Amino acid sequence: MKRIKKIDEWRELLEKSDEQPFLLFKSSMTSVSSLAAKKELDGLRTDLPIYIVITQVSKKLSAAIESDLGVPHEVPQLLILKGKRAIWQATHYQIKEQILLDAIKEYV
């Protein structure tokens, strides 16, 4: 899992999502549901790159993601990005390894 800290990093990844779909995890350092979601992601076996945004320290980045995608901000939130758009999302306790594997299989 690689952390994104800058808006230009985010926009570069978004542009490349035509060629390389990826997972984006928006997390909070103080949320129990974020911790539970991260544990689910830590066990995930996928070839897709996983990027994390820590919302408390990257508020402008988080706002840019919400604006660029047109997807309302939630924390925790997991998105599958492909073709410069969010094609799937889960929030809070919906972020489960098997649910994500099923979504990757169906949408990517």
Side-chain angles (χ1 to χ4, degrees):
M1 197 174 303
K2 182 180 177 193
R3 187 166 162 204
I4 305 171
K5 297 178 184 178
K6 298 179 182 178
I7 293 172
D8 60 336
E9 289 176 297
W10 153 247
R11 294 211 168 120
E12 185 177 323
L13 286 171
L14 185 60
E15 282 300 312
K16 292 179 179 179
S17 68
D18 285 327
E19 303 151 21
Q20 176 60 68
F22 64 94
L23 303 175
L24 181 66
F25 178 50
K26 291 168 63 178
S27 181
S28 164
M29 295 182 294
T30 56
S31 161
V32 173
S33 57
S34 284
L35 180 59
K38 182 159 183 332
K39 285 182 181 180
E40 292 288 327
L41 289 175
D42 285 343
L44 183 69
R45 300 279 188 248
T46 180
D47 293 332
L48 295 181
I50 304 172
Y51 297 92
I52 185 171
V53 173
I54 300 180
T55 57
Q56 287 104 327
V57 295
S58 300
K59 290 181 182 188
K60 288 182 181 179
L61 172 57
S62 186
I65 292 167
E66 179 179 21
S67 175
D68 291 348
L69 297 177
V71 175
H73 170 74
E74 299 224 26
V75 174
Q77 184 175 43
L78 183 66
L79 304 160
I80 298 176
L81 284 287
K82 181 179 178 183
K84 298 183 185 87
R85 62 188 189 93
I87 60 170
W88 180 88
Q89 76 158 328
T91 61
H92 299 86
Y93 292 103
Q94 298 169 337
I95 301 172
K96 299 286 184 196
E97 183 179 3
Q98 190 57 55
I99 292 171
L100 182 53
L101 289 171
D102 292 344
I104 291 169
K105 186 176 181 179
E106 183 174 343
Y107 295 106
V108 180

